Amino acid sequence: MKEKILVTRSSMPDFDEYIDEISDLWETHWLTNMGEKHCILENTLKEYLNVENVSLFSNGHMALELAIQAMNLTGEVITTPFTFASTTHAIVRNGLTPVFCDINAEDYTIDVTKIESLITDKTSAIIPVHVYGNVCNVEEIDRIAKKYDLKVIYDAAHAFGVKYKGKGIAEYGDVSMFSFHATKVFNTIEGGALCFKNPEFGKRVNRLKNFGIRDEEVVDSIGANAKMNEFQAAMGICNLRHVHAEIEKRKKVINRYKKNLGDVLGITILQPQDHVQANYAYFPIVIDDKIFGSTRNEVYNYLKTQNIFSRKYFYPLTNSFDCFHGQFDTNQTPIAVYISKRVLTLPLYADLSFDNIDIVCNAIKKCQK
Ligand SMILES: *Cc1c(COP(=O)(O)O)cnc(C)c1O
């Protein structure tokens, strides 16, 4: 049997580097609740991400869910269905109604020309997604948010390290959420962070991640438990030392993919965005079966027979999930439906070899008819 080529492989520091980082925990016995590693990682990330405030979380989803709670949003939130379950779930779990805006066909982020027509007197926020690390049209979103007095929370789970016009991506909007899940460009095993400008928001969200505890005798909000522990933070401290090199390696992987697949008829690949320093988080291709001769599902299944594991990322759309049965009309987001049926994200991680990339691409080309 051929070697398996998985869709992703988590970045890890050398074993000795991690052991060295965690060894003093056996002296302090301080394992969680905003310990020393936690503080170091928060401060290092502030610098790396070019932001004023960072708050760490046990995972990205809880960060997003508690960010929404801390903002006291009400009614409706405009978002996109072409994303991971987390984005929509965070809205619904806060008792809010997601209103789905379509994506654009160029970079699959929210179609800003369609936002204003979805705004009602119940709308309180926009939660766009920097999907695949592609930067949303942040200027237009900012203009709309100001005009209608809406909050903006970016799901930046994919966008760690991305810069736009020389600024860290999290400098845009009121709040940005990063995920540090094992499969993301930068990981703390599980983990996540919020970046924000308003220090009052910071105080609220920091209480919410620790049960809403204000001090020893006062619990004044209905919080959850979403604290990052010291082993996660130590993993982050180590991985952050190498993330620049990892992103450079990812760039080489993507360039190899582009060289192989860039001019295959019926396959569309993402184009680089203007003014964006990318993080090369994902390599999605969109397969037009009428031209290519095979459907996305046929390619996905064939790759599997070759021990190559790609992902239908993002399929299904969140507005067609079984748990929302009958609640949303996917006809409202036709481009998201189109892309979702045809997109395939290919194996991508820093150490994916050129040989294996070529094997993946040749297998895909075998499906061409
Ligand atoms: C990974 C991801 C999340 C959630 O992150 P976790 O850290 O896994 O909780 C949220 N949104 C998007 C788009 C993601 O890909």
Side-chain angles (χ1 to χ4, degrees):
M1 200 61 185
K2 285 179 202 160
E3 176 200 353
K4 272 190 188 165
I5 304 179
L6 300 178
V7 70
T8 182
R9 187 168 185 267
S10 299
S11 300
M12 291 172 82
D14 283 344
F15 181 72
D16 291 341
E17 183 179 351
Y18 186 63
I19 295 303
D20 192 41
E21 190 62 49
I22 61 172
S23 63
D24 44 352
L25 297 175
W26 269 259
E27 272 145 49
T28 63
H29 286 240
W30 187 303
L31 302 184
T32 186
N33 286 52
M34 288 60 85
E36 193 187 347
K37 308 284 173 196
H38 183 281
C39 294
I40 292 171
L41 183 60
E42 262 186 9
N43 286 325
T44 327
L45 281 171
K46 267 184 223 169
E47 250 169 69
Y48 186 84
L49 295 168
N50 268 304
V51 292
E52 288 160 47
N53 301 293
V54 172
S55 178
L56 297 175
F57 286 81
S58 53
N59 58 66
H61 176 78
M62 285 309 294
L64 185 59
E65 203 172 299
L66 296 179
I68 295 170
Q69 186 182 348
M71 284 214 160
N72 297 315
L73 302 182
T74 56
E76 298 172 358
V77 173
I78 296 172
T79 186
T80 56
F82 190 70
T83 181
F84 188 55
S86 172
T87 323
T88 304
H89 284 4
I91 295 168
V92 176
R93 286 171 59 82
N94 270 287
L96 304 168
T97 306
V99 172
F100 291 102
C101 184
D102 209 356
I103 57 173
N104 71 65
E106 286 74 51
D107 58 30
Y108 318 138
T109 63
I110 193 165
D111 182 343
V112 290
T113 66
K114 294 182 182 147
I115 296 176
E116 287 194 78
S117 66
L118 297 171
I119 295 173
T120 71
D121 53 11
K122 295 203 189 90
T123 310
S124 60
I126 312 173
I127 304 189
V129 184
H130 296 304
V131 68
Y132 303 131
N134 288 342
V135 176
C136 296
N137 186 335
V138 289
E139 280 120 357
E140 185 59 12
I141 291 167
D142 188 48
R143 185 193 69 78
I144 295 169
K146 286 213 172 82
K147 181 169 165 194
Y148 295 91
D149 192 24
L150 304 175
K151 298 282 188 242
V152 179
I153 304 177
Y154 283 105
D155 181 332
H158 295 176
F160 186 83
V162 171
K163 286 193 175 153
Y164 177 64
K165 294 193 171 164
K167 285 165 84 176
I169 192 65
E171 292 212 36
Y172 300 89
D174 295 292
V175 180
S176 291
M177 177 277 286
F178 293 107
S179 165
F180 304 153
H181 183 257
T183 57
K184 304 296 207 279
V185 167
F186 165 73
N187 85 75
T188 60
I189 310 171
E190 293 261 8
L194 294 176
C195 300
F196 49 90
K197 295 193 195 81
N198 181 346
E200 283 307 311
F201 169 86
K203 282 185 197 156
R204 278 200 300 282
V205 92
N206 281 336
R207 288 200 291 273
L208 285 174
K209 76 178 174 192
N210 191 26
F211 304 99
I213 296 173
R214 181 184 284 266
D215 61 40
E216 275 181 34
E217 298 186 3
V218 181
V219 179
D220 61 2
S221 53
I222 307 171
N225 180 5
K227 304 181 298 287
M228 177 180 281
N229 71 49
E230 291 292 278
F231 288 83
Q232 290 173 289
M235 189 63 136
I237 290 168
C238 295
N239 277 337
L240 198 56
R241 295 184 189 123
H242 308 288
V243 72
H244 178 73
E246 294 274 305
I247 290 174
E248 285 302 305
K249 285 189 192 170
R250 284 175 172 271
K251 180 178 180 178
K252 292 198 175 110
V253 169
I254 284 192
N255 284 338
R256 184 75 176 189
Y257 268 127
K258 283 184 172 168
K259 188 166 159 258
N260 280 335
L261 297 176
D263 48 14
V264 176
L265 285 178
I267 289 184
T268 305
I269 61 173
L270 283 172
Q271 296 306 311
Q273 294 180 295
D274 291 338
H275 314 295
V276 171
Q277 186 182 317
N279 69 351
Y280 309 96
Y282 296 90
F283 190 71
I285 61 172
V286 173
I287 301 168
D288 181 345
D289 54 295
K290 295 216 174 66
I291 301 170
F292 187 68
S294 294
T295 63
R296 182 273 309 271
N297 286 351
E298 284 164 350
V299 175
Y300 170 85
N301 289 329
Y302 177 70
L303 291 179
K304 238 179 172 176
T305 68
Q306 301 304 300
N307 243 350
I308 300 167
F309 298 88
S310 58
R311 265 194 78 184
K312 300 175 196 178
Y313 205 55
F314 293 100
Y315 174 88
L317 296 175
T318 66
N319 56 359
S320 65
F321 280 176
D322 285 10
C323 57
F324 301 129
H325 184 76
Q327 289 185 51
F328 307 112
D329 180 4
T330 54
N331 293 320
Q332 302 296 314
T333 56
I335 295 177
V337 170
Y338 180 94
I339 299 297
S340 175
K341 281 184 180 159
R342 291 167 180 79
V343 73
L344 196 62
T345 49
L346 301 184
L348 171 59
Y349 44 88
D351 291 320
L352 183 61
S353 71
F354 278 16
D355 283 349
N356 279 344
I357 299 167
D358 296 349
I359 288 170
V360 173
C361 295
N362 289 334
I364 292 169
K365 287 179 190 165
K366 274 216 167 143
C367 300
Q368 197 174 22
K369 293 196 186 87

